[in-house]
Amino acid sequence: MHFQWYPGHMTKARRMMQEDIKLIDVVIELVDARIPLSSKNPEIDELAKNKSRVILLNKYDLADDKHTEKWKKYFEEQGYFVTLVNSKAGNGVRKVNDVIQQACKEKIERDRRKGILNRPIRAMVVGIPNVGKSTFINSFAGKAATKTGNKPGVTKGKQWIKINKNVELLDTPGILWPKFEDQTVGLRLAFIGAIREEILNILELSIELIKFLQEHYPSSLTAKYSIEGSDDAVQTLSQIAERRGCKIKGGELDLNKAATLLMDDFRNGRIGNFTIEFSS
Ligand code: G4P
């Protein structure tokens, strides 16, 4: 399978982020808990050097808990402040404020020594498309949050959301692009639906997913679809098609339809909670 990317967008997004990062103290980076490395772009390390760093393992509701804990430790060992969130349901979102305070502790103390008290921490959210940035910002900001509007000394047009007396958040997130050179990364992004469908072959993708699940979560498909299963991925897909009545005129199995159904079930957590990329 081949994935393509769009350099024009990337350059623009990067430039905008470079400007925004100058205004902030802490970068809140969202990654997908199912593929924490493939949904991360290492370029952010260069862009955000000298900033405090928070990583949110978002969509943890869809990932495998024991692996999510391992990923949390993995990133903490690298010096990040890490927490788990389900932005959609709001779980873990309130804790983010504490994590921001911890990440900015040194800065707060430096301010205090200079006699600057209670200057709010400025934060921005970054992440690849579809990782949940808007959902998180809405949940974190909540109803009570007020937009502070333009401020002197701040680039015109920038909106800050006052989260509480200690934290202000830039209302537009920074968009990072996944690192596409590696086809495994592309495949993992495709599994979770972070790549636009029209550039993918859904049948091939579903076969790869079946192979992955058979290796790492062997009974997940047989349990979900009440099928016998097979070592052969195409056979397994055929069984799913049969079971779910995916047929074309004349009664032949419609494997494309079964593939679409499978991917949809998988992406929405209806087969189970899976981590696709492991930290070890
Ligand atoms: P973005 O700004 O980074 O591009 O992502 P966005 O917030 O638009 O979220 C992309 C999709 O991911 C949305 O689903 C959103 O509901 C879902 N999402 C975000 N955070 C979480 C999470 O923690 N858990 C789960 N399970 N899903 C999450 P959608 O399919 O586009 O819309 P909808 O199904 O919510 O209507």
Side-chain angles (χ1 to χ4, degrees), residues 58-59 61-62 86-88 128-135:
N58 193 38
K59 307 198 188 186
D61 53 305
L62 300 173
N86 168 357
S87 298
K88 197 168 173 174
I128 65 166
N130 225 25
V131 76
K133 296 179 296 300
S134 314
T135 312

Side-chain angles (χ1 to χ4, degrees), residues 21 24-29 44 48-55 79-81 99-108 110 121-124 126:
I21 281 180
I24 56 136
D25 306 300
V26 55
V27 172
I28 303 172
E29 185 181 2
I44 187 66
K49 63 172 189 279
N50 307 323
K51 303 290 174 184
S52 302
R53 302 289 297 278
V54 168
I55 286 192
Y80 294 99
F81 291 80
V99 179
I100 293 175
Q101 302 297 326
Q102 285 161 23
C104 295
K105 210 167 156 210
E106 278 178 26
K107 183 199 113 35
I108 296 167
R110 226 172 22 240
I121 294 163
R122 290 212 169 130
M124 91 181 269
V126 306

Side-chain angles (χ1 to χ4, degrees), residues 31-271:
V31 298
D32 191 300
R34 295 166 293 175
I35 51 165
L37 285 188
S38 293
S39 59
K40 199 171 178 334
N41 185 332
E43 218 186 324
I44 187 66
D45 294 338
E46 179 59 29
L47 288 167
K49 63 172 189 279
N50 307 323
K51 303 290 174 184
S52 302
R53 302 289 297 278
V54 168
I55 286 192
L56 304 184
L57 289 163
N58 193 38
K59 307 198 188 186
Y60 82 88
D61 53 305
L62 300 173
D64 183 341
D65 289 341
K66 74 172 187 293
H67 286 291
T68 306
E69 277 309 314
K70 286 186 189 167
W71 276 116
K72 182 169 184 282
K73 286 204 185 76
Y74 170 94
F75 287 119
E76 281 170 348
E77 278 164 17
Q78 297 192 357
Y80 294 99
F81 291 80
V82 189
T83 192
L84 321 185
V85 285
N86 168 357
S87 298
K88 197 168 173 174
N91 299 335
V93 171
R94 283 177 65 183
K95 208 173 158 206
V96 175
N97 193 41
D98 294 341
V99 179
I100 293 175
Q101 302 297 326
Q102 285 161 23
C104 295
K105 210 167 156 210
E106 278 178 26
K107 183 199 113 35
I108 296 167
E109 271 159 19
R110 226 172 22 240
D111 274 2
R112 191 167 295 153
R113 280 196 299 274
K114 288 192 223 153
I116 307 167
L117 295 177
N118 301 329
R119 184 167 75 82
I121 294 163
R122 290 212 169 130
M124 91 181 269
V125 167
V126 306
I128 65 166
N130 225 25
V131 76
K133 296 179 296 300
S134 314
T135 312
F136 170 73
I137 291 173
N138 286 336
S139 176
F140 189 46
K143 289 192 191 75
T146 47
K147 291 202 174 176
T148 59
N150 298 341
K151 287 196 164 182
V154 170
T155 314
K156 208 161 164 260
K158 292 282 171 236
Q159 290 274 331
W160 294 87
I161 306 169
K162 196 170 166 58
I163 302 290
N164 54 43
K165 69 178 184 2
N166 301 320
V167 179
E168 290 181 3
L169 183 71
L170 200 58
D171 78 338
T172 36
I175 301 172
L176 293 167
W177 304 93
K179 39 183 193 317
F180 259 82
E181 308 83 55
D182 182 347
Q183 292 293 296
T184 323
V185 171
L187 188 63
R188 289 171 179 169
L189 290 162
F191 279 171
I192 66 160
I195 295 176
R196 282 188 311 170
E197 206 88 292
E198 57 265 39
I199 63 170
L200 294 170
N201 179 328
I202 191 86
L203 196 57
E204 264 182 69
L205 187 63
S206 71
I207 296 296
E208 292 302 323
L209 179 67
I210 291 172
K211 287 183 190 161
F212 171 84
L213 290 174
Q214 278 171 339
E215 184 178 349
H216 298 282
Y217 297 95
S219 54
S220 57
L221 291 174
T222 50
K224 165 72 184 169
Y225 297 104
S226 310
I227 52 172
E228 243 178 51
S230 160
D231 289 342
D232 181 73
V234 180
Q235 274 301 322
T236 304
L237 186 64
S238 303
Q239 291 175 15
I240 295 172
E242 183 78 57
R243 185 50 101 172
R244 287 301 168 97
C246 302
K247 305 241 165 96
I248 33 185
K249 276 185 280 170
E252 226 177 287
L253 292 177
D254 186 346
L255 291 188
N256 269 309
K257 193 169 173 193
T260 305
L261 180 143
L262 170 66
M263 294 315 302
D264 200 51
D265 281 345
F266 177 77
R267 287 168 182 164
N268 288 296
R270 289 194 293 263
I271 303 177

